[in-house]
Amino acid sequence: FFFLMIRRPPRSTLDRSSAASDVYKRQVSTQSTWDIHICMEKLSPKMLAVIKSGFMALDTNKDGILKKDEILAYCKSIHNPITEEEYKSYMGDIVQMTFDEMAVQNKPFMQGVLMMVIADKDKDGKITFSEFKDFMNSMEDGLPEGVFAFAFNMYDADHDGKIDLQECIQASVKHPQGCLLYTSPSPRDATLSRMPSSA
């Protein structure tokens, strides 16, 4: 399934000696960029718990099987209805699934829906920047401050300051392989703040 992960290049690629101070600064500025991955990989226990909480919230009758009608009802409840035709275009003939089946299927549509379920705390159908930041922190510890705005803008296609369900879905559908690389354009301060005191 998917998760958000921020990482930096290996420290061994950076020369931090005082004699090479200027070189180090250039390396940090140009080479040590933060990578944002949305990857289909083994989930940490924390990520697994967060994603399962989204599945359980959608599974309104609590039978452990998520059904198409439950997904469509959720979308309608947040004023972002999905038609039967749209659902079929995203999910094919899948009309119900367990959590494990959902994880194996790795459908971009479900990634988008789950992100909305988990992040949209006030259930108004919009993810604010504050909610998005809380969502990212719930998935991964120790994220650098500068990453949040960059990642938010990746989803906020119309740049209105909020992410709706369609934006969640389209960001996932646009990258169906489930493992994509994004590089922050302004990583220097975050990189410097996370660098250890010695190489």
Side-chain angles (χ1 to χ4, degrees), residues 74-80 116-117 119-128 131 162-165:
Y74 166 75
C75 295
K76 184 177 181 181
S77 75
I78 59 169
H79 313 292
N80 281 270
M116 178 61 68
V117 172
D120 180 25
K121 294 300 185 183
D122 61 6
K123 309 303 178 188
D124 68 347
K126 303 281 186 178
I127 300 174
T128 64
E131 288 173 327
K162 295 182 179 181
I163 302 169
D164 63 25
L165 178 60

Side-chain angles (χ1 to χ4, degrees), residues 12-103:
S12 60
T13 65
L14 299 175
D15 182 355
R16 296 202 64 199
S17 66
S18 58
S21 177
D22 290 340
V23 173
Y24 164 69
K25 288 177 182 177
R26 287 197 299 273
Q27 287 175 323
V28 169
S29 177
T30 62
Q31 181 181 14
S32 187
T33 52
W34 288 94
D35 296 335
I36 300 180
H37 291 258
I38 305 178
C39 292
M40 182 172 60
E41 292 207 10
K42 184 177 180 179
L43 297 170
S44 71
K46 183 176 184 178
M47 293 170 183
L48 187 63
V50 171
I51 295 171
K52 276 191 172 180
S53 73
F55 179 92
M56 292 170 64
L58 286 171
D59 179 22
T60 53
N61 68 356
K62 308 305 177 188
D63 65 352
I65 301 174
L66 184 57
K67 301 175 183 65
K68 178 183 71 173
D69 290 347
E70 291 173 318
I71 298 169
L72 295 182
Y74 166 75
C75 295
K76 184 177 181 181
S77 75
I78 59 169
H79 313 292
N80 281 270
I82 299 293
T83 67
E84 295 273 352
E85 292 74 17
E86 288 173 323
Y87 178 91
K88 186 174 180 63
S89 70
Y90 293 131
M91 298 293 288
D93 295 328
I94 299 172
V95 295
Q96 64 180 36
M97 68 204 89
T98 65
F99 181 81
D100 289 344
E101 289 170 341
M102 182 187 70

Side-chain angles (χ1 to χ4, degrees), residues 163-183:
I163 302 169
D164 63 25
L165 178 60
Q166 286 297 332
E167 287 172 320
C168 285
I169 294 170
Q170 291 308 314
S172 299
V173 170
K174 185 178 179 181
H175 310 292
Q177 298 305 312
C179 187
L180 297 164
L181 176 66
Y182 298 87
T183 303

